Amino acid sequence: MSQTLQLFSAGAFVPTEAEAQRLTLANDADPREADLTGITAIELQFPKFSDGRAFSQAFLLHRRLGFTGEIRATGDVLIDQLVQMQRSGFTQAVLRADQNLAHGQALLAHYPAFYQGDAVHTAPHFAPA
């Protein structure tokens, strides 16, 4: 079973971590160069839905750097992107204001597991535990 991506509406979202514990990375920044000391949440930006560089950043943070805090998608976040976000290592998504939160949750529930591995669950579904 995949980790559940937490969804928030843009207008209602309030970060729970202190500002000093949050790092916002531009989508062209290399996360490997960021100082993650004391950081509990990283915001990755989608300036437009067709710009997917934040997916690569999330993968690097989660898999290569072993970041275990919140990886949050912000900006032009559509429900169409949620399954890939969850599989890339995002833990939270702040949906664009015109996106329906209930539809996003239903979409994630529709795909509870995948046969191939991903950034979160590296072993294929059919591999012995």
Side-chain angles (χ1 to χ4, degrees), residues 58-106:
F59 179 86
L60 286 170
L61 286 163
H62 188 78
R63 280 293 304 280
R64 296 223 178 131
L65 300 175
F67 183 74
T68 58
E70 300 294 347
I71 301 176
R72 182 178 303 139
T74 61
D76 199 20
V77 177
L78 307 180
I79 62 171
D80 302 24
Q81 301 165 300
L82 296 178
V83 172
Q84 188 63 33
M85 284 179 180
Q86 182 169 275
R87 299 192 73 212
S88 298
F90 283 95
T91 58
Q92 297 180 333
V94 180
L95 298 174
R96 192 172 75 184
D98 65 344
Q99 298 296 290
N100 186 302
L101 192 63
H103 287 163
Q105 291 165 334

